[in-house]
Amino acid sequence: MKKLTIVLILFTALSTLSCSKWLDIQPESEIDKSVLFATEDGFKEALIGVYTRCAKDDLYGKELTIGTPEVLAQNYALSSNDPLRYQQTKLFKYNDGNFIGRKDNIWKGLYNGIVNANLILTEIDHKKQLFTGSNYQLIKGESLALRAYLHFDALRLFGPAPVVNDKIEAIPYVTSYSNKSTKLSTVSQVLDSVVRDLEEAKELLKVDPIRLKSYVVGYPTVGDTLKNSELQDKSLFLQNRRHRLNYYAVCGLLARTYLYKGDKIKALLNAREVIDVKKFPWTNATDFLAVDADKKDRIFYKELLFAWYIPAMNSTYNNDWFQDNNSAIYLDQDEAKTIYEVAGAGGGDMRYTQWFGTVSVGNSFISSIHKYRRNTLGDSFAANLHYLVAPAIRLTEIYYIAAECSYETAPAQAAAWLDEVREHRGIGQKVDISTYAKLQSELLKEYRKEMFAEGQLFFAYKRLNVPIVGQQGTTIPANQQIYVWPLPDDEIIYGQR
């Protein structure tokens, strides 16, 4: 395979370079980096800026959450008019112009976030004297974790899964803020770099306030989030840690990465660290089923280790995508019932009853998607936060990872972890995982049920290199032409093959 180098075109207020259409990392406030990084608050602003960038529509604000990976996983029915232009993507037509545009924007967006994280990492060690309390460790740890998170998803999109070929060149792992080119790394090299960044981040984030007994994981009110804290700095920067890559989110991301890498021992160790601490409570059924829309918790907020805050979620997700009709994206009702096994073990599955609404269309019925709905009139602090986030790492995924990684040595424990999740979703029937094939089947069904419209199912199929389960009983064979996205063209990436 030919090598690809990437030249990062850097841009600040004092730069003489012209603005690159690939990577424009100028802060929105147009503050020169020498000014921005002159204070601790400047570093905080830069870090929040990376999260804000990642929550744009081209990344986790839409495309990598409810968008392209979910379409590829065959999770949606699409309007025949195709107003959102995803029909060709659903058919895996990677030469379609609409797919190419979205795919290239995802690539650019991921590396834009990476460059901004690298800018913080380049500056922070020279400015340690600026920081108070544990803010140096928190900001550096989160920046490393963000760099790893974005590279990992770039690899999961644009490189083959390691189970297929971990020696092939895949993507560049960019660790410096400069105009020097970065060559492609192999799949295994990228994964090693992701792990290295995450392990360093985990060590730095041992000071994370979320690890304190006084940090209570609940709905995002100041009182529920940080009670009787011994912290001197009680600013919002140290609160609502689950909207950021906190210590336990890094553990979860390490578990996800090690599993993808094939290291089940270390994946299980990190998963157990999250499970055993019992920091994240199961969502009460009364909250999930609440009649009052302002109090209804449709996304199991308390179980989220990490989530992207998306202020424009209601208009983008519910007005444009998930409408109460078949004009955009929806599910055939029979298909929704099949996914959630309503006729069998899933007859009491709360996810089906709360995430989908029945809509009459002609002589048939469809299931409209309500998962991200919120009360637009709600003005409480909780209504404005926990209804406006997209899940990034869930407690349930950690249980799934633990079950998969413990199956060979402790199958009864693996079954118990799966059953615990199912019980909290309204499924009382014990799971049958008497063979590894049954375990894999049940895990993939749970990924589809639990993380519907969250962008993770496609990666689960790809990691295992198994067929994609389509709608109406169809299957799409595992195919590297499907699972590996083409890299952007040379004129987009400003590099050379």
Side-chain angles (χ1 to χ4, degrees), residues 88-374:
Q88 294 302 304
T89 297
K90 187 176 181 180
L91 297 173
F92 309 106
K93 302 295 185 181
Y94 289 174
N95 60 348
D96 171 65
N98 292 298
F99 172 81
I100 291 171
R102 290 191 296 267
K103 178 258 299 182
D104 288 351
N105 285 335
I106 289 169
W107 173 273
K108 289 185 287 184
L110 289 170
Y111 278 96
N112 187 274
I114 288 166
V115 170
N116 279 280
N118 280 335
L119 177 56
I120 296 171
L121 292 167
T122 298
E123 296 288 328
I124 194 166
D125 284 340
H126 305 297
K127 308 285 181 68
K128 289 179 69 171
Q129 73 280 2
L130 296 177
F131 296 93
T132 58
S134 58
N135 286 338
Y136 164 79
Q137 294 96 316
L138 290 174
I139 294 172
K140 184 175 181 179
E142 288 183 51
S143 299
L144 284 166
L146 279 164
R147 182 169 77 183
Y149 192 109
L150 298 173
H151 276 110
F152 182 52
D153 274 1
L155 176 68
R156 292 199 294 177
L157 293 168
F158 293 93
V163 70
V164 174
N165 187 346
D166 68 349
K167 299 296 189 288
I168 193 170
E169 292 176 330
I171 65 166
Y173 202 93
V174 183
T175 59
S176 62
Y177 177 85
S178 73
N179 59 358
K180 294 182 179 179
S181 61
T182 302
K183 295 182 179 180
L184 289 176
S185 294
T186 65
V187 172
S188 63
Q189 288 171 337
V190 172
L191 288 170
D192 287 345
S193 295
V194 170
V195 165
R196 183 170 56 250
D197 276 350
L198 290 176
E199 291 287 6
E200 184 179 352
K202 182 178 176 181
E203 185 66 26
L204 287 163
L205 291 171
K206 284 182 176 179
V207 299
D208 196 328
I210 201 170
R211 301 185 73 207
L212 297 170
K213 290 183 179 180
S214 56
Y215 192 105
V216 178
V217 170
Y219 294 111
T221 65
V222 173
D224 284 341
T225 303
L226 200 61
K227 292 181 177 177
N228 303 317
S229 174
E230 58 266 43
L231 293 169
Q232 293 181 352
D233 183 351
K234 295 185 180 181
S235 66
L236 285 175
F237 184 75
L238 295 179
Q239 297 174 22
N240 298 321
R241 294 289 298 155
R242 290 175 308 125
H243 297 171
R244 308 247 293 279
L245 276 163
N246 59 72
Y247 178 84
Y248 294 112
V250 170
C251 290
L253 186 54
L254 273 167
R256 183 188 283 177
T257 305
Y258 276 126
L259 179 63
Y260 197 80
K261 194 172 186 285
D263 190 337
K264 292 184 177 181
I265 293 175
K266 290 183 179 178
L268 180 58
L269 284 173
N270 280 279
R272 287 297 300 261
E273 187 163 358
V274 175
I275 293 171
D276 293 346
V277 75
K278 300 187 185 303
K279 172 69 72 171
F280 301 89
W282 294 107
T283 301
N284 295 327
T286 51
D287 290 327
F288 188 58
L289 302 172
V291 176
D292 187 345
D294 192 42
K295 298 178 180 178
K296 184 186 287 291
D297 178 9
R298 283 193 173 95
I299 60 168
F300 305 111
Y301 180 85
K302 289 189 288 188
E303 301 171 23
L304 301 182
L305 279 65
F306 170 46
W308 301 104
Y309 175 53
I310 306 170
M313 171 179 283
N314 195 52
S315 60
T316 300
Y317 285 34
N318 300 312
N319 295 343
D320 298 338
W321 278 58
F322 305 138
Q323 304 173 23
D324 274 334
N325 51 51
N326 64 344
S327 64
I329 289 178
Y330 60 98
L331 266 180
D332 293 324
Q333 189 172 71
D334 288 343
E335 186 65 31
K337 290 180 177 179
T338 298
I339 291 172
Y340 288 90
E341 301 179 290
V342 172
D349 196 322
M350 298 184 295
R351 294 168 295 194
Y352 173 74
T353 62
Q354 299 302 304
W355 287 351
F356 301 92
T358 299
V359 178
S360 175
V361 177
N363 296 323
S364 62
F365 295 94
I366 67 168
S367 289
S368 57
I369 301 166
H370 292 182
K371 184 172 185 176
Y372 292 104
R373 292 211 173 173
R374 62 170 293 236

